[in-house]
Amino acid sequence: MINNQKDVLMDLVINNKHISIRAGGGRCLLDFLREDLSLMGTKEGCGEGECGSCTVLLDGKAVLSCMTPMERAIGREVTTIEGVGRPGNLHPLQQAMMEEGGVQCGFCTPGMIMSGVELLNRKSNPNRDEIVEGISGNLCRCTGYRKIITAIERAAEKMS
Amino acid sequence: MKVRGIGIGSMVYGVGYGFSRPDFASAEVEIAPDGTVTIWSGASELGQGIRTVLSQIVAQEFGAAYEDIRVISADTDKTPDSGPVSASRSTYVQGNAVLAACKDLKQELISLASELMGVESNLVEIQNGQIAAKDKIGKIISFSKLASEMHVQGRRTHGFGWHNNRTLDVDKNTSQGDAYSSYAWASQLVEVEVDTQTGRVKILRLASATDVGKAINPQLIEGQIEGGAVQGLGFALMEEMQVEQGVFNNANLSTYLIPTAADVPPIDSLIVEVSDPSGPYGAKGMAEPATIPTTPAILNAIADAISKRVRYSLASPENVLKVLGKIDGSGKEGFLLLEDIPYPVA
Ligand code: FES
Ligand code: FES
């Protein structure tokens, strides 16, 4: 990406780790995460705020990282899919997505899980309508959504 | 006013390329001394689950543990040519190639097992993940023991399989003949609600019955059925490529709409198993068959609800209102009339 902007000091918390680095400014948070921090879990589907695959949490709230200027994350807390769980220590929703078959090609999955995690943090026992609303900004071309919805229900059961 | 209607859509689908076109796959398997097995297949994983299915096939054939199987796939530097993933052929053609690779090695496995257990080789049986002697209850040898023994004794541990799915062509003059080696069938039933004021169509529920031959992995099949139905729903109601002089006018997701979680109706997935002896364990292809009947079923349901047929490329609110005569178009059912469709002349 061509970037004529000045360097900025990116001082923030990412996945519970404090970082402070100089980076070329004027880009979206998605590019900062992927290009500078090699956090490749967050995906770019459309790059224009339509698909939800770039969803991350900013101070616990789901945002589209392709539409968020990286500077907006300074002094705040960002959670990406890498911070949600790791193999051997998966988040209940990651586990449920595997068990229920909520993943096919996997491209929507990180964003889908971030929206699901935000919903589960907000509401311990969401009903089906609330789940649908929670992920309605996340497009999936493969699964038909039903198994993803079921996975969120299962995760909610397990977490309560 | 809101009116309801029910529609059905059915299809028959030729699996693979058919019409005598080249349609083959190759695969290799290798048994390691620790009882793990590696599969090399050109099959590419797009999320349909072919790596899972190939592993299941090997586990079944060798009595190995599913977890101990590793797949190296779709890497032209390493894997043999298995042809593309298309035409709903991966389980059917590429699965058959892996099955052939297992069979290539299986005799080796069985003869060693018969020596170790001291029984005739025709009495050796691979079942439920174990290698056992048919006549001697309790005589069992584990696959991992067998694997290590193969290496100790220097037996062949590498198998190769090739599956040719080339069929005959149809008769050039009559277009008659058997163009495919396997045919899949599917039907879907849809109930819709049409708002005659706004033209909006809501899918209330959908049932999809797909003949898969044999469900090697029912959960993956359900995923294909549900995903296929939702793509078909998008094709019927919202997805329209607007092309003008070869240029797409709606080449992004804000103008080319695809279904979201909020558009998805309750879906009943019915897996029908009419075994096809030409497929692995009787399995057929089923990916495209899961999506083909949806659009016609929806359009039929709309016709049932409003007693008029939408023949536009999609049943958007605007087109439904046109057909209802509520906006310009004055009741015309669309541009594609039955008499415009050319039929082959016998
Ligand atoms: S990549 Fe951000 S919404 Fe699609
Ligand atoms: S799993 Fe492929 S887009 Fe959702």
Side-chain angles (χ1 to χ4, degrees):
Chain A
M1 192 188 202
I2 301 164
N3 173 35
N4 301 321
Q5 300 271 336
K6 277 206 292 271
D7 278 5
V8 287
L9 182 67
M10 291 298 288
D11 189 281
L12 68 157
V13 173
I14 290 202
N15 298 333
N16 286 324
K17 237 177 82 188
H18 176 245
I19 62 158
S20 190
I21 60 166
R22 301 204 71 82
R27 292 172 295 153
C28 61
L29 180 58
L30 173 67
D31 287 347
F32 172 68
L33 293 171
R34 290 180 59 92
E35 291 166 5
D36 297 27
L37 302 181
S38 295
L39 290 170
M40 296 295 186
T42 308
K43 305 294 180 202
E44 176 169 9
C46 64
E48 49 190 30
E50 297 292 343
C51 72
S53 61
C54 65
T55 306
V56 299
L57 304 188
L58 187 59
D59 287 343
K61 264 189 68 98
V63 297
L64 300 175
S65 62
C66 75
M67 301 298 282
T68 306
M70 59 191 267
E71 290 82 359
R72 196 175 295 164
I74 295 171
R76 300 171 72 178
E77 204 171 311
V78 174
T79 309
T80 69
I81 187 70
E82 288 90 346
V84 168
R86 286 278 179 182
N89 182 27
L90 293 177
H91 186 279
L93 180 53
Q94 291 175 309
Q95 190 66 34
M97 284 284 272
M98 273 168 53
E99 285 165 9
E100 298 298 326
V103 181
Q104 286 189 30
C105 80
F107 203 85
C108 71
T109 311
M112 203 61 95
I113 288 177
M114 296 317 293
S115 293
V117 165
E118 192 223 25
L119 173 70
L120 292 170
N121 287 345
R122 208 155 24 88
K123 233 178 146 65
S124 59
N125 207 353
N127 64 34
R128 232 184 143 80
D129 288 344
E130 289 164 336
I131 294 174
V132 166
E133 202 195 303
I135 61 165
S136 62
N138 294 78
L139 296 178
C140 173
R141 194 44 155 169
C142 304
T143 62
Y145 302 102
R146 295 179 49 83
K147 293 192 182 303
I148 295 171
I149 296 168
T150 311
I152 297 175
E153 285 173 341
R154 289 287 162 282
E157 279 164 25
K158 244 184 247 154
M159 288 165 73
S160 65
Chain B
M1 195 177 54
K2 286 183 175 161
V3 285
R4 288 188 176 192
I6 287 179
I8 194 164
S10 296
M11 66 107 235
V12 58
Y13 180 89
V15 180
Y17 297 140
F19 293 96
S20 196
R21 289 179 282 223
D23 189 358
F24 66 89
S26 33
E28 290 167 49
V29 293
E30 189 172 79
I31 299 171
D34 60 355
T36 60
V37 185
T38 304
I39 305 170
W40 287 266
S41 164
S44 37
E45 178 62 78
L46 314 176
Q48 81 279 40
I50 189 62
R51 291 166 62 99
T52 305
V53 167
L54 297 182
S55 303
Q56 284 182 268
I57 291 175
V58 170
Q60 174 81 16
E61 288 306 305
F62 289 165
Y66 173 83
E67 295 73 29
D68 290 342
I69 294 158
R70 168 169 87 118
V71 188
I72 298 175
S73 73
D75 181 343
T76 51
D77 199 30
K78 299 190 179 76
T79 54
D81 188 359
S82 306
V85 164
S86 60
S88 303
R89 71 190 282 281
S90 20
T91 295
Y92 183 71
V93 183
Q94 296 164 341
N96 259 336
V98 167
L99 192 56
C102 293
K103 296 231 160 99
D104 184 38
L105 211 47
K106 210 165 165 180
Q107 212 39 55
E108 204 72 41
L109 217 64
I110 286 178
S111 69
L112 182 58
S114 86
E115 286 166 33
L116 293 175
M117 293 192 288
V119 297
E120 292 293 318
S121 62
N122 60 352
L123 295 175
V124 174
E125 182 168 62
I126 301 180
Q127 229 186 19
N128 304 328
Q130 273 172 332
I131 295 113
K134 250 189 247 174
D135 63 337
K136 297 189 183 158
I137 314 274
K139 244 206 161 151
I140 279 174
I141 183 162
S142 72
F143 175 74
S144 53
K145 170 88 181 91
L146 207 54
S148 91
E149 202 57 34
M150 282 173 108
H151 283 263
V152 169
Q153 299 200 11
R155 302 284 181 115
R156 182 158 72 93
T157 53
H158 197 97
F160 176 77
W162 193 72
H163 182 72
N164 188 3
N165 187 43
R166 192 164 194 166
T167 60
L168 295 175
D169 203 351
V170 293
D171 186 286
K172 288 272 175 302
N173 298 317
T174 63
S175 296
Q176 299 291 300
D178 196 4
Y180 291 94
S181 55
S182 178
Y183 297 87
W185 313 82
S187 280
Q188 291 183 24
L189 189 64
V190 168
E191 184 174 15
V192 301
E193 185 179 79
V194 184
D195 186 328
T196 55
Q197 293 308 311
T198 63
R200 221 183 98 82
V201 177
K202 192 173 170 207
I203 313 292
L204 300 175
R205 56 198 174 125
L206 186 150
S208 171
T210 309
D211 169 22
V212 304
K214 167 79 188 168
I216 293 179
N217 188 311
Q219 189 187 57
L220 289 175
I221 285 176
E222 256 181 44
Q224 296 280 297
I225 289 179
E226 292 171 1
V230 172
Q231 272 197 23
L233 183 157
F235 189 48
L237 301 181
M238 54 186 90
E239 297 184 31
E240 185 178 41
M241 287 201 239
Q242 292 156 9
V243 189
E244 219 178 302
Q245 299 191 329
V247 177
F248 288 113
N249 284 336
N250 60 339
N252 55 41
L253 290 165
S254 57
T255 48
Y256 182 93
L257 301 182
I258 69 169
T260 72
D263 297 304
V264 173
I267 298 175
D268 263 331
S269 303
L270 306 166
I271 297 174
V272 181
E273 294 182 308
V274 181
S275 179
D276 185 332
S278 69
Y281 314 111
K284 305 172 178 183
M286 60 73 57
E288 283 158 285
T291 196
I292 293 168
T294 315
T295 306
I298 291 172
L299 294 176
N300 283 339
I302 295 171
D304 185 43
I306 64 173
S307 303
K308 289 195 109 182
R309 205 156 258 291
V310 180
R311 293 190 204 275
Y312 293 94
S313 57
L314 84 167
S316 61
E318 191 190 356
N319 287 340
V320 170
L321 289 180
K322 271 189 206 165
V323 169
L324 286 170
K326 303 227 159 135
I327 56 173
D328 63 327
S330 60
K332 265 187 59 195
E333 293 186 330
F335 54 79
L336 198 70
L337 296 173
L338 222 44
E339 49 267 35
D340 299 334
I341 301 171
Y343 278 96
V345 193

